[in-house]
Amino acid sequence: MTATVAIGEFARLTLLSVKTLRYYHEIELLEPASVDVGTGYRRYSTDQVERAHLIRRLRDLDMPLPEIRTVLAAADPAERDAALRAHLIRMEAALDRTREVVVSLRALLTAPPPPIEVDYRTEPAFTALTFTSQVERTAIADWCGIAFEQLYTTLVESGIAPGGTAGATYSNEFFTDDNGAVTAFVPLPPGAEFVPTGGFAVVEFPGRHFAVAVHDGPFEDFDRTYGALGSHVAEHGAALPGEPVRERYLVGPDTTDNPADYRTEVCWPITEGEI
């Protein structure tokens, strides 16, 4: 047997405030069983209590309202469960990142940075298959994963082996505006003939002089490597204005599942000659 109750009583049954219930009615997420035309008073069915409990739990898990709507509208239990699993996976990834940031913060507060080892290198010009996009700083990890997967897949399908270590260049705007051009590249072997399609391009990278430092480990401490190397270059007045920083991924997501094993060369463009 079901009954209808006023909104205040339904708030007590569900632990959702009256304000929240009114908002969920406005966005058609949880509509009352009836609304009095004259007074506007809302009444809810006791059959809706379980639905309200589900919404509250999903919000406690920070699931966005549009996704909750998808879960509630799913007629197929498998579709509903897939949406729930996808959100839990995202939450677990966020939790892992929080743990990594905590570890990094503790190290920043308690351990002085190790002295940076800077190498000086003249990189010859090379040709590479590239993919370029405007990328938000917060989306760079996901973007790189997709970009390099597509680059390598394209080369494999074309029967061309990579001609060197993959990497990326980052425009100044990527750092100054948190959004800028990023170019992922995979060097092509000498003499390779390739006609790019689908947003890819074959680019001739000019030879450059670089100050180079190696970053070992996950992204959370990447800023310390950038800070130390960039400071070293600035203190010696050797920066090459306007030239993007290059990164080369000696060990990355395509070769290991453990971020602690990542190994990246940071190549800071400098004027000709060693510092």
Side-chain angles (χ1 to χ4, degrees), residues 62-82:
D62 293 325
M63 178 176 277
L65 292 173
E67 292 185 25
I68 294 177
R69 193 188 308 279
T70 299
V71 170
L72 297 177
D76 181 4
E79 180 183 351
R80 177 201 62 200
D81 293 345

Side-chain angles (χ1 to χ4, degrees), residues 54-72 78-96:
L54 176 60
I55 293 172
R56 188 169 64 81
R57 280 167 173 75
L58 295 178
R59 287 300 293 148
D60 286 345
L61 291 176
D62 293 325
M63 178 176 277
L65 292 173
E67 292 185 25
I68 294 177
R69 193 188 308 279
T70 299
V71 170
L72 297 177
E79 180 183 351
R80 177 201 62 200
D81 293 345
L84 292 172
R85 281 195 300 272
H87 182 68
L88 291 175
I89 290 171
R90 287 194 296 271
M91 286 198 65
E92 289 168 352
L95 183 59
D96 288 341

Side-chain angles (χ1 to χ4, degrees), residues 26-177:
E26 290 174 7
I27 65 173
E28 300 180 351
L29 183 65
L30 180 61
E31 300 183 70
S34 64
V35 179
D36 187 279
V37 177
T39 64
Y41 290 164
R42 300 167 174 88
R43 295 190 67 85
Y44 292 81
S45 169
T46 52
D47 283 344
Q48 296 177 284
V49 170
E50 186 174 350
R51 182 182 180 93
H53 287 168
L54 176 60
I55 293 172
R56 188 169 64 81
R57 280 167 173 75
L58 295 178
R59 287 300 293 148
D60 286 345
L61 291 176
D62 293 325
M63 178 176 277
L65 292 173
E67 292 185 25
I68 294 177
R69 193 188 308 279
T70 299
V71 170
L72 297 177
D76 181 4
E79 180 183 351
R80 177 201 62 200
D81 293 345
L84 292 172
R85 281 195 300 272
H87 182 68
L88 291 175
I89 290 171
R90 287 194 296 271
M91 286 198 65
E92 289 168 352
L95 183 59
D96 288 341
R97 171 161 171 72
T98 298
R99 292 193 183 103
E100 292 167 357
V101 172
V102 169
V103 170
S104 178
L105 177 59
R106 285 175 175 160
L108 182 66
L109 296 175
T110 61
I116 191 169
E117 296 184 10
V118 180
D119 185 24
Y120 307 104
R121 183 185 306 163
T122 299
E123 289 275 354
F126 65 95
T127 303
L129 179 65
T130 68
F131 184 78
T132 301
S133 292
Q134 289 288 125
V135 185
E136 293 275 355
R137 179 97 70 93
T138 55
I140 188 60
D142 290 339
W143 182 86
C144 281
I146 295 170
F148 284 111
E149 181 180 4
Q150 292 177 343
L151 285 168
Y152 281 116
T153 298
T154 300
L155 288 178
V156 169
E157 291 175 348
S158 302
I160 298 175
T165 303
T169 64
Y170 295 83
S171 65
N172 290 336
E173 291 75 18
F174 179 79
F175 302 101
T176 59
D177 301 337

